[in-house]
Amino acid sequence: MHSSISPSFLAKKSQILANLSVPEEEYTDASPKGSVDVGIRELIGKVNGLEGAVTTSSCAGRISVFVEGRKDKTIPSLANTGGDGRSCAEPDALQNAVPGGKGLGGHWLFVSHVPVSLHGEVTLEKLLEAAHVKVGEVPQAVDPTTCRLIKLAFEPMILHIMTASLHHARPILAAALEAGLRESGVQSLKSLDDSNAFPMVAVRTAGLSLSSVVGLVYNDGTGGDDKVCPIVDERYFQLLLALANDRFGSNIQRIDRFQENIFRSKHNRKCSRRDQWEDRVARAERQRAEGLQEQARHREKRQIEHTGDT
């Protein structure tokens, strides 16, 4: 029932659902991909059909090859700080993440939100050619302060679900943990006193993650342009793709289990009256009604006791 949920939550959910209802060819969001992944679209639709829950961000999982950005030399090193890596640098001096990579100028060479074909369509050689940097030999020595790593990675699914209350968040979190999404948890608990802040369930797992360095972008110090080189051979690269595909399969199974767990017993779990949101007028009316009921029970009990005495 809508009367049990904060109007502020209902307004936020309505706005989110309105954005998701835009035709697919017109829809865009803040993610680099700009749209909802097909592999998680059904789950999102079902979660958004639950009372007291709405999805705010998602990724079905992805296999990627990306080039790290250039390292910002204005960032103090560990040796120039108090020893714990913290410093008093201005925020603008910190290494900024650019969509598609880690650091200044990072970018993707390849991204897939579905398992990858292993029939030669994706090769390390083709990807390095797409980096638009001259291919060179593996350097004799690597300067970690100037070279940029090229990594192949698999990142499992992640889903953020805003809930109207902790009561609504609990069954969702339980379903995620039972599905093997062990790093799932509830966020935004420090701001629950704010009437416009709501518990956020982060559904995720780190156990399926995979990351491996497959190449380098470097400068040999002769004044020329950067060069790129593989540091693994093609057979090893294809093995990494196969491993990523295998983990993608496990990722899909956990998404399916999570969806089944949510809707196994009840399509929508009702919260008890004491856990429902209510304004002051409704709360006063409920407490008055409960008080009258309690008085009636006491009167009935006294009447029964009096009848028994006579």
Side-chain angles (χ1 to χ4, degrees), residues 24-282:
E24 185 175 345
E25 61 273 11
E26 299 177 16
Y27 177 84
T28 184
D29 57 31
S31 67
K33 181 171 178 281
S35 62
V36 178
D37 295 341
V38 173
I40 206 169
R41 199 169 291 168
E42 179 182 356
L43 173 60
I44 287 176
K46 290 188 175 182
V47 170
N48 287 337
L50 291 172
E51 183 179 85
V54 63
T55 58
T56 60
S57 64
S58 65
C59 177
R62 70 185 178 200
I63 299 172
S64 65
V65 178
F66 63 86
V67 182
E68 287 185 333
R70 292 178 176 83
K71 297 176 174 62
D72 189 342
K73 294 184 179 180
T74 65
I75 301 174
S77 66
L78 186 63
N80 294 328
T81 63
D84 58 1
R86 293 177 292 182
S87 73
C88 299
E90 293 296 322
D92 290 343
L94 299 179
Q95 185 169 341
N96 299 311
V98 177
K102 305 289 186 181
L104 300 171
H107 60 282
W108 273 307
L109 299 178
F110 173 81
V111 182
S112 176
H113 292 262
V114 295
V116 177
S117 170
L118 300 177
H119 298 295
E121 288 89 344
V122 181
T123 68
L124 184 56
E125 181 182 4
K126 291 178 181 178
L127 294 178
L128 294 186
E129 289 175 353
H132 304 296
V133 179
K134 183 178 179 181
V135 178
E137 299 294 329
V138 179
Q140 292 291 329
V142 176
D143 183 354
T145 66
T146 59
C147 73
R148 293 186 284 156
L149 303 180
I150 302 175
K151 294 182 179 180
L152 179 146
F154 171 69
E155 299 162 274
M157 71 88 74
I158 185 166
L159 178 65
H160 287 96
I161 304 171
M162 185 173 69
T163 59
S165 69
L166 284 175
H167 184 87
H168 293 88
R170 288 190 195 105
I172 296 174
L173 177 58
L177 295 174
E178 290 171 7
L181 301 163
R182 296 189 181 92
E183 282 69 43
S184 299
V186 180
Q187 303 172 343
S188 305
L189 296 180
K190 291 183 178 180
S191 56
L192 288 183
D193 291 336
D194 184 347
S195 61
N196 292 314
F198 303 97
M200 184 77 70
V201 181
V203 180
R204 58 195 173 191
T205 178
L208 295 176
S209 299
L210 171 69
S211 180
S212 181
V213 178
V214 296
L216 292 174
V217 176
Y218 67 96
N219 193 293
D220 58 16
T222 60
D225 295 331
D226 286 348
K227 297 179 181 179
V228 63
C229 69
I231 60 170
V232 301
D233 60 25
E234 191 61 46
R235 287 182 299 175
Y236 186 77
F237 182 76
Q238 293 300 318
L239 173 62
L240 289 175
L241 284 180
L243 288 173
N245 278 350
D246 183 64
R247 297 198 179 192
F248 218 136
S250 299
N251 178 71
I252 293 170
Q253 291 175 0
R254 295 188 189 189
I255 291 174
D256 291 342
R257 286 204 300 268
F258 173 55
Q259 182 169 310
E260 291 170 2
N261 289 347
I262 291 180
F263 302 98
R264 182 189 301 131
S265 57
K266 295 180 181 179
H267 177 70
N268 193 357
R269 306 181 186 212
K270 303 293 184 181
C271 46
S272 67
R273 178 171 295 276
R274 289 191 181 276
D275 286 323
Q276 292 179 353
W277 183 91
E278 55 189 0
D279 59 26
R280 286 184 297 176
V281 175

